[in-house]
Amino acid sequence: MTRPEQTFFDDPALDRLYGTVWALATEVFVLRDRVTVLEEALAEAGQIDLDALRAEPSPEDLAAHAADRRAFVDHLMTSLAGTQQSKGAPV
Amino acid sequence: MTPRFGQGDPGLSGRAFAAAQAFTLDAKLVWTRSLYPALHRKIEDGLSPGDGVAEIRSRMAGDVDYQVFAWLERHLQRFKYSGRYGLQAYHDAQRETLEAGLTDADLPEGLLSLDPDLEMPAYYTAVDIHQHPGGVWSDAIAGCVYERGARSTTPTMGVKHADLHTRLTDYVDGLLDGPPARLFDMACGFGKSTGPFVEAYREAEIVGMDLSEPCLRLAARTAHENQSRNVRYVQGDARESGLDPDSQDVVTSTMYLHEMPPSGVRAALAESYRVLKPGGRMVHLDFYHLPDPIARFIHYGHGRCNNEPFMEPLAEMDLTAELEALGFRDIRIEPFEEAPGALDPENDAWRFPWTVVAAEKPA
């Protein structure tokens, strides 16, 4: 049984995009919930210091993770430029 | 592409399911308490004298606030029931255990009567109502899925089924001169509407009838666990119940009438009259009273978004005239307060238009 889904926006692509974003948001929350539970369990077992984990990082900490953070942002925002990443036929 | 979720998904734990459902419910609360009031104010500000549903619909079709509202109205329900963390997948992953729990092998005789030859009406099987995949009838575990989903049907109410249904029981009790000897609960589902009557009227003979075997199995199991001896659950079409004429002190239903086309509603009302004793009372709780075009527009939109194709036709019926034609008297069609403060003018949250449709069969 495959019937076309209802559309609400002028551009039906937006309906599908909203659905993908919502699924991702749900997965993010499930992941956050699991991380929270893990942190609490590890803290209770004396394996991690929750206060240290939650404290504002030092400039050195931020610098140590800067490359990864910038790659994440680049990956997220590359598509916004709307340019080809490999040479294709002229549009 | 038809994704398969449920059994075999290593990421579908009880924790993940609960987190995802809580996330969805919290989003529904924002929709209920924040998005809806803002949309209502916008529609109200743009209203012209004489505007009806058609005018509002035309004006809001291209309005992004309404588009977002309607998208969420449909898809929050879709995520609740379907997909990786939906009710269907989670219960599918526990299928074996759930099915084993629904056995009728140890039920007292007469508590559950099933009819394997019962033909499901076409209207009932044509649409998966309220976006429950497969409907509430086609899967052995459908009653379990429905029961879990019903805990959050009305997002601003508590999760206890009893709150709404206890209020209905109190309403019915207020109409009676004394406890009923016999009560018929039409389209009882998994028994959430029947339960408070079973508790309130221990000496009564109560019949709960429904089309859905999966729901009735759950209803009977619950009654057995509660040691209820005054109820029996029967699989059947409540429009042709087979109960004796002039036999019931009370005929009731909750959220039944809007699940059928008008012809079905007429049949249910006629059957109510047929089986009621002279002087007996009929009380149906459903969605009907819509005081203005905005309420009507929102309600009709909900019907379309939520796989409830008969919400609009029911609301368009003249139920007073229908009941008068059948011979009922003391007809009361009035808003029903499903929770404390629900009918307060200050309550601007989205809510179903809960309405009692009540009448008396002349003595």
Side-chain angles (χ1 to χ4, degrees), chain A:
Chain A
M1 181 280 298
T2 48
R3 296 177 182 172
E5 180 55 271
Q6 294 181 23
T7 55
F8 298 91
F9 298 101
D10 296 341
D11 183 350
L14 267 179
D15 288 88
R16 301 185 191 193
L17 180 61
Y18 265 62
T20 300
V21 169
W22 201 266
L24 275 171
T26 306
E27 293 282 7
V28 167
F29 184 75
V30 168
L31 192 58
R32 281 176 56 85
D33 177 76
R34 192 177 183 92
V35 168
T36 300
V37 169
L38 278 170
E39 287 176 354
E40 289 170 351
L42 287 169
E44 196 169 313
Q47 299 297 312
I48 61 170
D49 180 347
L50 268 182
D51 288 335
L53 196 65
R54 290 168 179 163
E56 191 168 343
S58 66
E60 292 74 24
D61 278 340
L62 283 173
H65 298 105
D68 178 66
R69 186 173 59 253
R70 285 189 192 119
F72 181 100
V73 172
D74 285 345
H75 192 201
L76 188 67
M77 301 189 73
T78 295
S79 305
L80 295 177
T83 53
Q84 294 182 12
Q85 300 305 296
S86 64
K87 188 170 66 177
V91 174

Side-chain angles (χ1 to χ4, degrees), chain B residues 15 73 131 174 214 294 344:
Chain B
R15 180 100 207 178
E73 184 164 38
Q131 300 188 64
I294 300 177
D344 289 348

Side-chain angles (χ1 to χ4, degrees), chain B residues 186 238-239 251 253 256-257 260 262-276 282 284 314 317-320 322-323 326 328 357:
Chain B
M186 295 178 145
R239 300 172 300 170
V251 173
S253 77
Y256 172 42
L257 300 181
M260 301 181 287
S263 59
V265 175
R266 292 187 182 99
L269 297 178
E271 181 69 354
S272 299
Y273 192 90
R274 187 187 73 79
V275 304
L276 274 172
M282 173 192 77
H284 296 290
L314 173 67
M317 292 179 73
D318 183 347
L319 289 181
T320 300
E322 299 281 351
L323 294 174
L326 285 169
F328 280 106
V357 177

Side-chain angles (χ1 to χ4, degrees), chain B residues 98-358:
Chain B
L98 291 173
E99 287 192 26
L102 293 170
T103 178
D104 57 0
D106 61 338
L107 294 180
E109 193 176 329
L111 175 57
L112 176 64
S113 302
L114 298 174
D115 181 359
D117 297 325
L118 182 67
E119 200 170 312
M120 299 291 115
Y123 77 80
Y124 189 66
T125 60
V127 172
D128 292 346
I129 59 164
H130 52 78
Q131 300 188 64
H132 179 151
V136 300
W137 60 277
S138 70
D139 184 344
I141 62 171
C144 303
V145 174
Y146 185 21
E147 189 277 328
R148 189 65 187 261
R151 298 182 199 178
S152 58
T153 291
T154 42
T156 53
M157 282 172 45
V159 297
K160 288 173 58 177
H161 298 304
D163 296 333
L164 165 73
H165 303 287
T166 303
R167 284 174 163 258
L168 177 66
T169 306
D170 290 344
Y171 181 94
V172 169
D173 199 60
L175 295 174
L176 306 177
D177 293 327
R182 287 182 173 171
L183 184 146
F184 176 32
D185 188 15
M186 295 178 145
C188 63
F190 58 85
K192 68 185 174 83
S193 54
T194 326
F197 290 114
V198 169
E199 290 302 307
Y201 303 127
R202 299 279 189 156
E203 303 303 315
E205 292 177 16
I206 296 175
V207 172
M209 180 172 287
D210 202 272
L211 291 165
S212 164
E213 175 182 337
C215 287
L216 288 166
R217 283 187 176 276
L218 183 57
R221 174 59 44 193
T222 303
H224 181 51
E225 288 169 1
N226 293 337
Q227 300 181 331
S228 302
R229 302 279 180 257
N230 57 335
V231 63
R232 56 189 182 95
Y233 287 106
V234 179
Q235 186 180 19
D237 190 330
R239 300 172 300 170
E240 298 175 331
S241 68
L243 296 178
D244 290 336
D246 306 314
S247 63
Q248 306 297 312
D249 298 278
V250 176
V251 173
T252 185
S253 77
T254 301
M255 292 187 281
Y256 172 42
L257 300 181
H258 75 270
E259 304 288 11
M260 301 181 287
S263 59
V265 175
R266 292 187 182 99
L269 297 178
E271 181 69 354
S272 299
Y273 192 90
R274 187 187 73 79
V275 304
L276 274 172
K277 293 176 184 174
R281 291 279 184 173
M282 173 192 77
V283 181
H284 296 290
L285 178 62
D286 218 285
F287 311 130
Y288 183 73
H289 177 70
L290 298 164
D292 57 63
I294 300 177
R296 199 165 287 269
F297 165 70
I298 292 294
H299 184 60
Y300 291 179
H302 182 80
R304 279 196 303 282
C305 287
N306 211 33
N307 289 13
E308 303 272 21
F310 305 117
M311 273 187 173
E312 182 171 340
L314 173 67
E316 294 281 310
M317 292 179 73
D318 183 347
L319 289 181
T320 300
E322 299 281 351
L323 294 174
E324 285 175 344
L326 285 169
F328 280 106
R329 69 177 185 195
D330 192 17
I331 296 167
R332 309 177 190 201
I333 299 178
E334 52 199 8
F336 180 79
E337 189 179 62
E338 75 276 16
L343 294 179
D344 289 348
E346 295 76 37
N347 178 27
D348 61 357
W350 178 90
R351 57 182 287 275
F352 282 112
W354 295 97
T355 309
V356 280
V357 177

